[in-house]
Amino acid sequence: MTTSPGEPGELLVPGRSAPGPGPGPKKLYVTDASGNVRRAVSVAPAETAGSGGSGGSGGSGGTAASAATRTDPGFFRNLVKGLNPLRQQTRTAMAMSGLGGAALALDVAATLNLGNPFLFYDRRELWKEMGGRLESGRSDIWFSYFQDVGPNWKGHAADLLGRRVRFNTTVLYEKLHGVTGEMSGAMHNQFKEVLEYDLSVFGLYAATAPILRTLAAMSAHPAGRVALISQVGVFASALGNLVKQFADVYMACEGDLNKAEQKLNDLRAAFYEEGDPARGRRDLTLTPAVADRAHIHDYWQPVIEEPR
């Protein structure tokens, strides 16, 4: 393991000279017993790793790479555009009924809580992509060791690397992957709940506005006014149910985020001394001696197949 100030560690397996310095992902070069390079695995620097310092495990598979561009289909803009004239009709009818104060307050509360479900859809996909890259990186490191290093090299360094892959790197990747799954699930639930709430609000106004508009036109007649007041009361009650529905959505989201926070606490404990970022990262690197060319044969011995 060769390390320079400000740079993530770099593992050199015998048979390959060190690559030149420069930015970007580092490489894990794996050779066979004859010194031929069998595999080169990209390892993301710590600065590009997501979830607070995952680079200490040897890389995160590029979890902070930019996600594919997703275009907002405009559902929320179109919904608000279609809802505004319906709201105007209902607000006029509510004012004419004499119940305008309470009903208008519920109208504001119900429509103010509308949200753009695409924002949560986008975050759901982002966390899914992070999870996929993490699993890809974990698999690359796992198979690189057990297919190329394990069968071809023995000695203290090979044993040390094997223990790190089994009990350190893999465990940390699993913890990171668990957070991405938890957050993707939370964003999916929020996407679903916000979409359902938006459609409930629009459906209520679309169904009620024509009725209130007709009754408002008849409100000069006593029977028409009674019908208008009754219908506005029903509408206000439905608005109150929508406000309660939003409160349920909010609490469900809080519950999902609380579960994710617990996993993040586990991550902090895995990556930082005493789980406190202020105390610095845990030492997750291999000893530099395994890459000391003056003593490399003390640590690495090729596996020589016995002649048949």
Side-chain angles (χ1 to χ4, degrees):
M1 181 70 68
T2 58
T3 306
S4 58
E7 290 288 333
E10 193 172 79
L11 177 65
L12 247 307
V13 178
R16 179 73 173 183
S17 60
K26 302 300 177 184
K27 293 288 187 179
L28 167 65
Y29 293 93
V30 183
T31 70
D32 59 19
S34 300
N36 300 313
V37 175
R38 297 285 300 275
R39 187 188 299 267
V41 181
S42 296
V43 180
E47 287 75 13
T48 63
S51 300
S54 60
S57 66
S60 65
T63 57
S66 58
T69 302
R70 285 176 286 274
T71 304
D72 189 338
F75 163 81
F76 184 65
R77 292 191 300 273
N78 293 333
L79 181 138
V80 172
K81 183 178 179 181
L83 184 63
N84 283 335
L86 299 175
R87 284 189 69 201
Q88 186 58 44
Q89 295 171 21
T90 58
R91 287 162 70 93
T92 300
M94 286 187 288
M96 294 177 64
S97 72
L99 302 178
L104 286 172
L106 289 170
D107 162 79
V108 171
T111 56
L112 188 64
N113 292 326
L114 290 169
N116 187 352
F118 173 78
L119 299 178
F120 299 99
Y121 167 83
D122 185 56
R123 286 162 174 77
R124 181 194 73 180
E125 297 302 301
L126 176 62
W127 283 104
K128 282 168 59 178
E129 289 164 5
M130 286 184 182
R133 288 194 293 271
L134 281 167
E135 180 58 24
S136 176
R138 186 201 67 81
S139 297
D140 284 346
I141 293 176
W142 180 268
F143 287 110
S144 291
Y145 177 79
F146 287 101
Q147 289 182 358
D148 299 325
V149 177
N152 296 298
W153 296 97
K154 62 182 180 178
H156 176 70
D159 293 340
L160 180 61
L161 179 60
R163 289 196 296 272
R164 288 300 175 100
V165 170
R166 288 173 181 268
F167 305 116
N168 188 305
T169 304
T170 299
V171 172
L172 294 178
Y173 266 93
E174 288 175 350
K175 287 181 179 294
L176 287 168
H177 192 269
V179 172
T180 64
E182 198 75 41
M183 288 300 297
S184 179
M187 293 301 100
H188 173 74
N189 291 338
Q190 193 68 359
F191 160 71
K192 173 179 175 292
E193 295 289 352
V194 169
L195 178 61
E196 290 180 350
Y197 180 81
D198 288 353
L199 293 176
S200 296
V201 172
F202 186 84
L204 175 62
Y205 278 85
T208 306
I211 299 173
L212 291 181
R213 183 176 64 246
T214 301
L215 293 177
M218 301 167 53
S219 62
H221 191 280
R225 182 170 180 76
V226 170
L228 176 62
I229 294 173
S230 176
Q231 187 62 37
V232 168
V234 172
F235 180 59
S237 177
L239 289 174
N241 288 333
L242 284 176
V243 173
K244 181 181 181 302
Q245 180 181 344
F246 175 80
D248 293 339
V249 170
Y250 180 86
M251 294 307 299
C253 180
E254 282 290 302
D256 288 341
L257 293 178
N258 183 63
K259 293 178 183 178
E261 184 179 7
Q262 293 174 4
K263 289 187 177 292
L264 287 171
N265 288 336
D266 293 341
L267 271 178
R268 279 193 289 269
F271 283 105
Y272 296 104
E273 295 290 342
E274 299 184 14
D276 183 3
R279 294 182 177 272
R281 298 178 182 177
R282 295 187 185 279
D283 180 12
L284 302 176
T285 59
L286 294 172
T287 172
V290 300
D292 183 356
R293 295 187 180 278
H295 303 90
I296 198 166
H297 296 295
D298 296 334
Y299 293 93
W300 296 95
Q301 291 88 43
V303 174
I304 306 299
E305 294 186 2
E306 297 291 337
R308 296 181 179 179

